[in-house]
Amino acid sequence: HSANMMSSLIAWALAAAGAVRGPGVTARAACVARCPSSRMSADWALIFDCDGVILESESLHREAYNAVFREFEVPYEWTPAYYDVLQNKVGGGIPKMRYYFGENGWPSSTLGAPPETPEGQDALLDTLQDRKTQIYKDMIGGEAETRPNILRIMDAAIAAPNVAVSICSASTKSACMFVLESLLGEDRLNALDFVAAGDDVEKRKPDPEIYTLASKTLGVPPAKCLVVEDSLIGLQAAVGAGMKCLITHTSSTADQDFSRAVAVYPELPGDLDLPALEGLVGSSAATAQFAYDSPITSPRRALAGVALATAIALGGDLFGVTQAVLSAAPEVARSVRADLVYPVAGFKRFMAADGSYELLYPKTWLPGHGTRPP
């Protein structure tokens, strides 16, 4: 791991020089890096998004925006259906409002007439965003809960000396850190190696800048980073940075195209562990499994899944065949995912809630030898 060691040493030298804050600096002061000696030989990095991954919070964001619109007499309201589209098109709060106002007209408000200059527009956006953040914090209060198995996986990664652990959020620094302090607790938050928010980069997701920053700061190459995201925007940012991405989607992102993800789950499984996640980053051997992550509603779709599994089994290139078939048959992609787990004992069972259809087709993938049923 000489390359990893060299990158880590460089990051440590920068911290010592004051370019990046080093040990003893708490993660609450995002964007921060913590480079203890136990992490200087990290083999890989696990990077989490915040909103939608650590907690399912998008409905609260929408309600907070509508509340601030009412308070400042901005004549707009974002419906749940529209916000699902907007949040999956534009990352970050100010960029969302800038995009929406640009498309629908800059509004009047209690601050005055519609702004006509860039400076006036920026002032309006900053004022609305600041107030929205406070409203959002009030909503979070002590009521928010983390999504299933997130803290278990995060704790396992923090405890592993060869794993660097980070959180990279498109949210404003103030909102992001409030959520993390409320949900993670001080000890867990301070144990993270790097935390970055949308304010810490010039371009927000889907631009890969925030993940590129994490890679450089952690001293871990992008190819050795696994990102946990919930949306297409996050997936695009991770892949754009050269990283692998696992998706745990929400109800508002479930129908997006996640074919470039290495694994897709509606919720992170209870038996998903650190070795399996490390395997998703890259390994010399793997056990592949084919799984349904949503109800299968027709024999046609079940048969399509069988055909896809067979194509993968007969083809030596698991990723290539999967990408080709899913691209050609997007209706199958909504039901069927290629889910790689390294290593895995047995296989998981995914089926409709009513048990109407079930396909269990475990395979062993040996690089250079194609795939075959075990």
Side-chain angles (χ1 to χ4, degrees):
H1 306 292
S2 58
N4 289 353
M5 178 67 76
M6 182 59 71
S7 297
S8 296
L9 287 172
I10 292 172
W12 182 256
L14 288 173
V20 183
R21 282 168 282 189
V25 179
T26 66
R28 288 194 301 271
C31 154
V32 301
R34 180 176 164 275
C35 305
S37 58
S38 62
R39 304 283 189 178
M40 290 184 68
S41 58
D43 296 325
W44 63 289
L46 184 60
I47 306 174
F48 298 89
D49 179 33
C50 182
D51 289 314
V53 170
I54 295 177
L55 79 163
E56 193 163 349
S57 56
E58 296 305 337
S59 63
L60 296 179
H61 281 292
R62 182 186 65 82
E63 292 171 10
Y65 279 115
N66 284 336
V68 79
F69 291 164
R70 291 191 296 269
E71 181 176 322
F72 284 83
E73 298 180 8
V74 172
Y76 290 130
E77 181 176 358
W78 288 345
T79 65
Y82 177 76
Y83 193 74
D84 282 350
V85 174
L86 181 63
Q87 68 159 328
N88 295 317
K89 181 181 293 186
V90 184
I94 287 179
K96 281 184 176 67
M97 288 190 289
R98 188 184 300 277
Y99 171 84
Y100 182 82
F101 296 159
E103 291 288 313
N104 297 276
W106 285 85
S108 60
S109 68
T110 56
L111 301 176
E116 298 181 357
T117 66
E119 294 77 13
Q121 293 171 356
D122 288 344
L124 174 62
L125 293 175
D126 289 342
T127 299
L128 295 179
Q129 184 63 36
D130 287 346
R131 179 58 182 144
K132 177 265 173 185
T133 297
Q134 186 56 54
I135 294 173
Y136 175 71
K137 288 180 179 181
D138 293 341
M139 289 179 171
I140 290 289
E143 301 177 2
E145 296 182 356
T146 58
R147 293 190 66 187
N149 295 305
I150 281 290
L151 296 186
R152 175 183 61 80
I153 292 172
M154 186 180 294
D155 288 343
I158 290 172
N162 68 325
V163 185
V165 189
S166 171
I167 292 176
C168 292
S169 172
S171 297
T172 61
K173 184 181 301 183
S174 175
C176 173
M177 297 313 296
F178 180 84
V179 168
L180 296 182
E181 289 172 349
S182 299
L183 298 182
L184 301 190
E186 184 175 359
D187 291 344
R188 186 182 286 113
L189 182 57
N190 289 339
L192 298 173
D193 297 292
F194 180 67
V195 178
D199 312 53
D200 298 312
V201 291
E202 292 185 6
K203 298 179 180 178
R204 304 196 185 201
K205 303 173 187 178
D207 191 277
E209 182 180 357
I210 196 167
Y211 287 129
T212 299
L213 174 64
S215 171
K216 292 179 178 178
T217 306
L218 295 170
V220 179
K224 292 295 184 180
C225 296
L226 177 66
V227 176
V228 182
E229 275 282 0
D230 69 299
S231 68
L232 179 59
I233 281 181
L235 172 63
Q236 290 170 335
V239 172
M243 300 177 179
K244 301 291 178 58
C245 184
L246 177 155
I247 291 292
T248 172
H249 60 71
T250 65
S251 58
S252 65
T253 63
D255 292 332
Q256 295 180 3
D257 178 11
F258 295 132
S259 58
R260 299 178 74 187
V262 293
V264 179
Y265 298 103
E267 300 287 0
L268 295 181
D271 59 350
L272 184 64
D273 57 15
L274 211 56
L277 293 171
E278 183 177 7
L280 291 173
V281 179
S283 178
S284 59
T287 296
Q289 65 184 9
F290 213 72
Y292 294 108
D293 70 354
S294 61
I296 303 162
T297 56
S298 71
R300 175 176 173 272
R301 293 177 77 171
L303 290 174
V306 174
L308 179 52
T310 303
I312 293 174
L314 296 177
D317 180 2
L318 178 67
F319 289 108
V321 173
T322 304
Q323 296 289 346
V325 177
L326 291 183
S327 298
E331 72 280 1
V332 176
R334 286 194 290 271
S335 291
V336 184
R337 303 291 178 191
D339 179 17
L340 302 180
V341 178
Y342 311 73
V344 65
F347 48 84
K348 299 186 181 72
R349 299 161 64 92
F350 289 77
M351 57 193 298
D354 62 1
S356 56
Y357 289 97
E358 179 178 16
L359 174 64
L360 302 176
Y361 196 88
K363 301 169 297 300
T364 298
W365 176 39
L366 301 176
H369 298 282
T371 54
R372 56 180 175 80

